[in-house]
Amino acid sequence: MSAVLSTTSPAAGSQTSAAATIDGFHLVIEALKLNGIGTLYGLPGIPITDLTRMAQGEGLRVIAFRHEQNAGHAASIAGFLTGRPGVCLTVSAPGFLNGLTALANATTNCFPMILISGSSEREIVDLQQGDYEEMDQLAIAKPLAKAAFRVLHAEDIGVGIARAIRAAVSGRPGGVYLDLPAKLFAQTMEAAAGRASLIEVVDPAPRQIPAPEAVQRALELLRGAKKPLIVLGKGAAYARAEAEVRTLVERTGIPYLPMSMAKGLLPDTHELSAAAARSYVLPEADVVVLVGARLNWLLSHGKGKTWGGKAAKDWGGQKFVQIDISPTEADSNVRIDAPVVGDIGSCVSALLAGMGAAWPRPPAEWLNAVMERKAKNIAKMAETLAKDARPMNFHSALNVVRDIVKANPDAMLVNEGANALDFTRSIVDMMKPRKRVDVGTWGVMGIGMGYAVAAAIETGQPVIAIEGDSAFGFSGMEVETLCRYNLPVCVVIFNNNGVYRGTDKNLGGGADMAPTAFVKDARYEKMMEAFGGVGVYASTPAELKRGVEEALRSRRPTLVNAIIDETAGTESGRITSLNPAAAKKPQA
Ligand code: OXT
Ligand code: ADP
Ligand code: MG
């Protein structure tokens, strides 16, 4: 490897003029650059250390993390935010496995991401002879990725990267695994032939126009609706279809419900938002248009009491239109009466074209009922927020965050936890698309710092990360990364001394704390100070406000330790009913 480096590394001068050869390292770097990939998220080590060094030398931005899972989450959310695959680079076996949770999470959430892992030598791995970090990584990645590829020859690097890019972003986006064995990086080939073998992918995510008859079927269903509802999912945010979606909502006058990462696609203050009337509109609606949202657990699988069914498995009687790029999504939970398959921009445009200028507004009784319920919930919320509880609870702390986010609509909001997640979602309004990123389809803890790093880097905007104290712990070491790259991230830890709350007792009466309880009054802000960032201890709303506002002003990495009443949280936030013990009890 070192012989190749001596002739091809940037330090030794141009790899073309010295030897007229190019090695695997540089073919990978050039293929990525050719396809507009400017940032790598990763963690160096054998066999990719030199790849990270050389990539930086060749002008790519290399963001090095303290744990691969966080680098992987960063890459995946970069994919969501930009529409180009986010790339994560890891070492073999353990590093690869550390990145795998993020790859699987990307696939589950339909985020385009490529996990590139160095791997050990095939002939040794396949004979299981005990190589350094031996593992059949390709086989392990396959079931968790949308696609998985291995490149064995330098001349195939261009094809390998092109296939990975296409697989990640075309159709339903997802996580792609690219296995690059150590020997590949050292292979050389004639420079001109090497460059000619690289592929600049043309139209990696082609528009997918819906069939006219599918559009007509959807329009007919919608025309007969008395209580129509639109549900906006993060697919619509990813598709950057906010202009088309806004026209659809405003021309039809149909109320809409944003899923968590679709908040802000239209401003949450929009008069047709039914977010504050969720438990009213779902069971009452007669025709529901799903726009880039799956009928998974977050929508109670389209049935049961949430939808007005008598029992958990009952159909509520709604008819569904589903706009989705995946042709196999329809009927996954309940019957979809009008599937419209295509990209959201094209599908919504086709619906609008079919509607013409004069489309009947929904009946006034429906609109009035939704607005009445919404106004009631908003008034109830305003009353709770006005209590300004001390010690701080989730409401009095989020009242501050809500105002700050309103005043800084371009700031990114990262959010994880249980109560810290659920209260933030319903209290903090988002005004612009793709500003809120959170635990997503899996409800996964640990996305926090990875998402915060990538959100800052990809958007250039300040980031506010609202973190449960447990949630933060999954990626907390990355505060060093925030400081190292001097990122404008303000981490706000909602510190209630534990998972859900801090008051649980050891049921056996022993000296060990309960499994959900943490060290009391932990001084998380000192973690940020340890690396040169700003630490703030905030036990009142005024201190919290000052801390976050100053962080936004200074753009310095900041950690605000917001002290929350340790009794304030509920078990699992708003999804208590998913706990097996709770599920045995009849639910209200
Ligand atoms: O209509 P109704 O009356 O029902 O009212 C609704 C809205 O209409 C109303 N609303 C409003 N009112 C007024 N104004 C406005 N603007 C407004 N907007 C809405 O408010 C209510 C609620 O609205 P919402 O939120 O839309 O509705 P609802 O019913 O909640 O929606 C249902 C769902 C399912 C869509 C929603 O609840 C949802 O999206 N939930 C996501 C839940 C989730 O993913 N949770 C995270 C996982 S929990 C658990 O698994 C945790 N773990 C285990 C673990 C995990 N996850 N991962 C890994 C790798 N390891 C372990 C752990 C360890 S959480 C966790 C840590 C927790 O501790 P922390 O310390 O981090 O956090 P704390 O709890 O804070 O201590
Ligand atoms: P949410 O969690 O917000 O409800 P989901 O992740 O369940 O959203 O659903 C997102 C859906 O959006 C997926 O079914 C995915 O296939 C779809 N999708 C993603 N990108 C596009 C696109 N460009 N056009 C159409 N559908 C898309
Ligand atoms: Mg907590």
Side-chain angles (χ1 to χ4, degrees), residues 68-299:
E68 290 89 347
Q69 186 180 120
N70 307 319
H73 284 317
S76 74
I77 210 66
F80 171 76
L81 292 171
T82 64
R84 286 190 299 279
V87 176
C88 174
L89 206 54
T90 80
V91 304
S92 29
F96 156 78
L97 287 175
N98 285 345
L100 211 50
T101 302
L103 183 75
N105 187 58
T107 305
T108 302
N109 280 279
C110 316
F111 297 159
M113 165 189 177
I114 303 173
L115 175 68
I116 300 180
S117 294
S119 59
S120 305
E121 302 317 333
R122 290 271 9 113
E123 49 276 60
I124 305 182
V125 173
D126 288 349
L127 275 171
Q128 297 170 35
Q129 293 175 307
D131 202 2
Y132 170 73
E133 296 191 349
E134 176 180 297
M135 176 172 276
D136 188 355
Q137 296 170 194
L138 186 70
I140 290 167
K142 260 185 191 160
L144 301 173
K146 185 180 169 196
F149 306 100
R150 176 185 293 131
V151 181
L152 291 176
H153 304 294
E155 61 266 32
D156 292 331
I157 287 174
V159 167
I161 288 183
R163 298 209 74 190
I165 291 171
R166 271 198 194 284
V169 296
S170 62
R172 171 181 279 176
V176 175
Y177 176 61
L178 189 61
D179 193 82
L180 302 184
K183 271 190 196 163
L184 176 77
F185 296 115
Q187 288 177 26
T188 55
M189 61 188 292
E190 198 263 318
R195 295 213 165 90
S197 72
L198 303 183
I199 296 173
E200 184 176 0
V201 178
V202 176
D203 199 10
R207 288 171 64 207
Q208 286 184 224
I209 314 293
E213 60 275 20
V215 173
Q216 279 315 313
R217 199 182 294 121
L219 287 173
E220 270 160 40
L221 194 57
L222 207 49
R223 201 185 300 276
K226 299 275 176 294
K227 298 174 170 184
L229 175 71
I230 293 171
V231 175
L232 301 176
K234 58 173 143 19
Y238 174 74
R240 298 179 171 257
E242 48 270 21
E244 294 89 342
V245 166
R246 185 190 266 268
T247 309
L248 178 72
V249 166
E250 292 180 349
R251 190 180 300 168
T252 60
I254 299 177
Y256 71 93
L257 185 67
M259 299 300 286
S260 143
M261 281 176 59
K263 277 168 71 75
L265 199 60
L266 275 74
D268 276 340
T269 48
H270 195 286
E271 59 171 342
L272 286 167
S273 169
R278 186 179 201 272
S279 61
Y280 176 74
V281 291
L282 290 179
E284 285 294 322
D286 61 354
V287 176
V288 179
V289 185
L290 300 162
V291 186
R294 287 169 286 184
L295 281 177
N296 56 16
W297 71 280
L298 290 156
L299 281 167

Side-chain angles (χ1 to χ4, degrees), residues 4 18-19 27 29 42 47 51 150 250 284 297 307 418 423 441 451 459 474:
V4 176
L27 286 167
I29 293 164
L51 183 61
R150 176 185 293 131
E250 292 180 349
E284 285 294 322
W297 71 280
W307 293 87
F423 284 112
T441 306
Y451 279 15
T459 70
F474 288 72

